[in-house]
Amino acid sequence: MQLVVGRVGRPHGIRGEWTVQVRTDDPDLRFAAGSVLATEPADLGPLTVSSSRWHSGRLLVTFAGYDDRDSADDLRGTLLMMDSADVGPPEDPDEFNDYQLVGLEVRTVGGEPVGVVSDVLHQGQDLLVVEPPSGRAAADPILVPFVAAIVPVVDVAAGRLVIDPPPGLLDLGVAG
């Protein structure tokens, strides 16, 4: 599975540096000199990182073969990607990469099917976006706070997670 680790933004200066909108938890590793990144659109890559540095809170990256501002003009907006197989598992057994959670079947502690995890949002509180089964009259996906009290079991190998939802959580978004 390909994971987006960044998006090429606007050029910085005249030496071929580009701002990169970071979409990874470890930008210093992902954008280290010598890193090779796939691209979307694919015909612009793969790109090899020549150098990277932080400037005023922004990541600036240069790519091999793009030595000045004009030569890299077509890179703006390009997604930078890597294979999920190249991302090691988290060191903490209670931590998960987002791609490990997407696609997991969700059931309540009582065994009732809730849906499938379609995304993970990081908005102050990590939230699992759960798409309900087709038979449920839901207007919207269910947002489940990703905390141990509500999600006591995550079994990536078995492809499932178990939730113990507080009263009303599963009723949100249900068409009445």
Side-chain angles (χ1 to χ4, degrees):
M1 164 190 275
Q2 291 289 334
L3 304 174
V4 176
V5 295
R7 181 176 178 268
V8 178
R10 60 188 172 97
H12 178 83
I14 58 172
R15 294 177 291 155
E17 287 184 309
W18 284 87
T19 61
V20 171
Q21 298 165 355
V22 176
R23 297 187 183 167
T24 177
D25 60 344
D26 198 352
D28 293 331
L29 176 64
R30 307 289 176 240
F31 296 101
S35 296
V36 179
L37 301 168
T39 61
E40 181 59 42
D43 61 329
L44 293 176
L47 295 174
T48 302
V49 175
S50 295
S51 67
S52 64
R53 66 184 177 100
W54 292 95
H55 175 71
S56 299
R58 294 186 188 152
L59 181 63
L60 302 178
V61 178
T62 57
F63 300 102
Y66 295 93
D67 300 326
D68 60 36
R69 182 181 184 117
D70 296 329
S71 69
D73 195 40
D74 56 344
L75 291 181
R76 189 174 189 154
T78 300
L79 295 178
L80 303 169
M81 301 161 38
M82 65 179 294
D83 194 296
S84 61
D86 295 336
V87 179
E91 292 179 17
D92 184 342
D94 292 329
E95 286 186 20
F96 303 92
N97 293 313
D98 292 356
Y99 75 89
Q100 293 176 292
L101 300 171
V102 172
L104 294 183
E105 177 188 8
V106 180
R107 293 189 172 268
T108 65
V109 290
E112 176 187 344
V114 177
V116 175
V117 177
S118 64
D119 199 0
V120 181
L121 304 177
H122 305 282
Q123 301 174 343
Q125 168 66 59
D126 292 342
L127 298 169
L128 300 174
V129 179
V130 179
E131 294 294 333
S134 58
R136 185 173 185 267
D140 295 312
I142 302 163
L143 299 178
V144 177
F146 192 40
V147 294
I150 297 174
V151 185
V153 177
V154 177
D155 190 343
V156 173
R160 68 180 180 91
L161 60 84
V162 177
I163 66 171
D164 188 7
L169 179 69
L170 299 181
D171 298 329
L172 295 174
V174 175

